Amino acid sequence: MLNADPRGETSATECIEHPLPFDEALINVLPMAVCTLDADGAVLRYNALADRLCGGGLVKLGRLRIVGSDGGLQSLADTPLAHTLRTGRSGSDVQLSLICPDDTPVSVLANIEALRNDAGQITGAVICFQASTPAAESSLNRHRDVEWLSAIVESTPECVKVVDQDGILVQMNPAGLRMLEASNAEQVEGAYVIDLIAPEHQAHWREQHQRVCAGEKLSWEFDVISLAGNRRHMETHAVPMILPSDIEGRHGYVQLAVTRDITERKRLALANSEAEHRLRNLLDALPTAVYTTDAEGVITYFNQACVELAGRVPQIGVDVWSVIWRLCRPDGSVIEPGTCPLAVALSENRSFHAVEALALRPDGSGVPFLGYPAPLRNNAGEVVGAVNMMVDITERKVAEDHRQLLLNELNHRVKNTLATVQSIAAQSFRREVGNQSYPWFEGRLIALSKAHDVLSRKNWQAADLREVVDQVAAPFQVDGHERFAIQGPAQRLRPKQALALAMALHELCTNASKYGALSTHTGQVRLTWQLAKSDDIPCLQIHWEEVGGPSVEAPTRKGFGTRLLERGLAGELNAEVRLAYLKSGLLCDIGVPLNDH
């Protein structure tokens, strides 16, 4: 390397005219061009090869002219020379394009070093360069590629290793050393890899290794025991490779392998497998039929209860939408496969609850069931399949039919009893001419029977208030006259409430037909109801108003109807009854609590 001028201060012109103060014979035999620069990038000294490579431009110009990748002349500040002059950092194998005085480009490879004085300050630089031939550039590119590939191997998070034919570890990257819990390469390189393999996996590893060294590409899994004694599960992908030193000798292949630690992945896979196994055991043990499908509706799983309900063994991957041989509605009509509830659940991405259907078996028997189809979604919320649970309701249907039979028999017997009571009453009162007790009694009995009919049609579960009112008012209607103005929201009544209100409304109708609005052709009853709250308890408020009838006066004594209204409703329904005898007609307000207690 050239040093600063030992003669002291010398002008740039003198330096250029006298290129080197050294032995020219010695300097000119150097196989590379050499020149020194001052802190501003001006050329101070150079040898003959440098001047030749620059086409004599060092004498004429006093500077190295460098062009960029776009072909334009670069200023000194944009060149690698300025970087060294500015920072003092060396430049190694820097590819430069120099321009000769005749504008001929010259490609060179340069190494740049900073020059410093005794105080350490940068006073200039020395640059050594040589022509960049295609061979030199190729060699440089190969060198850079090797460095680049080496950097990738060194930084990859997976183990990269080379194992020779005898199973000796030739080389391993830092990631592999960390997997083996080795502090340095000397601890494992040169040792037999088989010694690090778990004993139960050694024979298989040796067999696979021999196949790779024979020219096969293989992947397999095995356990290793680290230097610290910890077991890890590994997955390796190995290919045969010829070592550079064996290219001429052709001694055979070695194993180049990329190995990753899949211990955690295997643990999760095992945990998922065990969870799936437990779930399958649970589903298989359920007495309820359960099956699943993929997103296209193809059966992917079914439990034993499905076989028992369907009367057949479904075919996974073949059956679509249902495990049932033929799916029908409760009335026996066939449901087309593409329109069944599970198909709709998949297409509309929604669940169904307790859909009643009939499963026809190949032997002709049928099983009623409730279906609960629902879509299955992945973590992204995408529909990936469906699940359906089918609950056999045969016993429930039998119980319902038996209950209905008993209820029908009971209704029939009650009707017969009421008819018998009516007949006895008619026989008991028929000789008492002019006795009005029997018509009144019969009317009450008929009102009770009508309310009974309403409840019978609803299986004695509930009755609609409007239907009860219509049944009570029907005997008092007159063709061509609107005798009742009835208005109110739909309201279900328990059997006890329906019977008591039917008797109470019958008494009001009877009283109105004898003394009130229904006793004339112009009179009318306005019957309305609404829902309200009393002390936070829902309450049914019924309002009875008579208009257009004769003038009304308060009775001097309370008859059966009044006692039924005031005492009967209070005792039966805990109701509150208010009666007002106005000149314009009777007013009656009934408040019935609707709480279940």
Side-chain angles (χ1 to χ4, degrees), residues 148-229:
W148 180 66
L149 291 174
S150 297
I152 291 177
V153 171
E154 290 295 307
S155 60
T156 183
E158 297 178 348
C159 170
V160 180
K161 65 180 182 291
V162 177
V163 183
D164 70 11
Q165 293 179 349
D166 297 327
I168 295 176
L169 181 63
V170 177
Q171 189 175 356
M172 179 177 280
N173 69 341
L177 297 177
R178 288 193 295 272
M179 290 180 188
L180 295 177
E181 298 185 86
S183 56
N184 55 68
E186 288 75 15
Q187 288 182 280
V188 292
E189 289 182 356
Y192 286 99
V193 174
I194 202 72
D195 293 337
L196 298 169
I197 308 297
E200 64 271 25
H201 294 161
Q202 289 180 358
H204 181 66
W205 188 94
R206 186 180 289 107
E207 177 188 348
Q208 300 298 90
H209 173 65
Q210 291 172 355
R211 291 175 59 184
V212 171
C213 292
E216 293 187 60
K217 297 179 181 180
L218 297 174
S219 299
W220 71 95
E221 297 179 14
F222 58 91
D223 284 1
V224 299
I225 308 298
S226 72
L227 298 184

Side-chain angles (χ1 to χ4, degrees), residues 49 59 68 157 189 223 231 250 295 323 337 433 455 506 581 590:
L49 181 57
V59 174
E189 289 182 356
D223 284 1
R231 177 185 285 259
R250 299 293 180 185
V323 297
V433 180
L455 288 169
H506 172 75
Y581 298 91
I590 304 172

Side-chain angles (χ1 to χ4, degrees), residues 263-281:
T263 304
E264 186 63 19
R265 191 181 79 186
K266 292 293 287 188
R267 185 189 67 79
L268 292 175
L270 180 61
N272 289 337
S273 177
E274 291 177 348
E276 182 179 354
H277 183 67
R278 288 195 299 270
L279 178 59
R280 284 181 176 270
N281 287 341

Side-chain angles (χ1 to χ4, degrees), residues 393-420:
I393 58 172
T394 302
E395 293 184 1
R396 194 186 81 177
K397 282 290 186 180
V398 171
E400 287 178 354
D401 291 343
H402 184 63
R403 183 183 64 181
Q404 188 62 45
L405 178 64
L406 293 178
L407 188 59
N408 292 340
E409 180 65 19
L410 177 62
N411 289 335
H412 179 70
R413 293 189 180 187
V414 169
K415 281 187 175 182
N416 287 343
T417 301
L418 291 175
T420 300

Side-chain angles (χ1 to χ4, degrees), residues 6-191:
R7 298 176 296 175
E9 296 183 2
T10 306
S11 67
T13 304
E14 291 175 347
C15 293
I16 293 174
E17 291 176 352
H18 305 285
L20 292 169
F22 308 104
D23 185 345
E24 291 188 9
L26 175 63
I27 296 302
N28 286 328
V29 298
L30 290 175
M32 66 178 62
V34 180
C35 66
T36 61
L37 312 174
D38 66 10
D40 295 324
V43 175
L44 298 178
R45 300 177 179 81
Y46 56 90
N47 65 359
L49 181 57
D51 191 46
R52 259 198 324 273
L53 284 175
C54 293
L58 296 180
V59 174
K60 295 179 182 179
L61 303 175
R63 286 184 177 275
L64 293 171
R65 294 203 304 167
I66 303 173
V67 296
S69 59
D70 60 354
L73 188 65
Q74 290 184 314
S75 64
L76 176 66
D78 297 329
T79 66
L81 302 177
H83 180 72
T84 299
L85 290 171
R86 195 166 51 244
T87 65
R89 295 178 182 174
S90 303
S92 178
D93 290 332
V94 180
Q95 194 159 8
L96 300 177
S97 181
L98 305 178
I99 293 294
C100 298
D102 62 356
D103 293 331
T104 302
V106 178
S107 182
V108 299
L109 289 177
N111 290 279
I112 310 168
E113 293 285 346
L115 295 176
R116 301 176 184 272
N117 59 19
D118 294 339
Q121 298 173 329
I122 299 174
T123 59
V126 59
I127 176 171
C128 304
F129 55 95
Q130 57 184 352
S132 179
T133 63
E137 291 180 8
S138 177
S139 176
L140 177 63
N141 289 337
R142 283 198 303 271
H143 176 70
R144 287 175 176 169
D145 288 345
V146 169
E147 289 183 340
W148 180 66
L149 291 174
S150 297
I152 291 177
V153 171
E154 290 295 307
S155 60
T156 183
E158 297 178 348
C159 170
V160 180
K161 65 180 182 291
V162 177
V163 183
D164 70 11
Q165 293 179 349
D166 297 327
I168 295 176
L169 181 63
V170 177
Q171 189 175 356
M172 179 177 280
N173 69 341
L177 297 177
R178 288 193 295 272
M179 290 180 188
L180 295 177
E181 298 185 86
S183 56
N184 55 68
E186 288 75 15
Q187 288 182 280
V188 292
E189 289 182 356

Side-chain angles (χ1 to χ4, degrees), residues 408-475:
N408 292 340
E409 180 65 19
L410 177 62
N411 289 335
H412 179 70
R413 293 189 180 187
V414 169
K415 281 187 175 182
N416 287 343
T417 301
L418 291 175
T420 300
V421 172
Q422 186 176 5
S423 177
I424 293 173
Q427 293 294 328
S428 299
F429 292 116
R430 66 178 180 177
R431 295 179 181 176
E432 298 181 13
V433 180
N435 190 344
Q436 296 298 316
S437 298
Y438 173 67
W440 297 344
F441 175 78
E442 185 180 38
R444 290 162 184 157
L445 197 62
I446 292 174
L448 182 63
S449 177
K450 293 291 185 182
H452 184 275
D453 288 341
V454 173
L455 288 169
S456 296
R457 288 195 294 271
K458 303 297 182 180
N459 293 326
W460 280 83
Q461 293 180 351
D464 183 72
L465 176 58
R466 179 59 186 255
E467 192 172 358
V468 171
V469 170
D470 289 342
Q471 289 289 345
V472 171

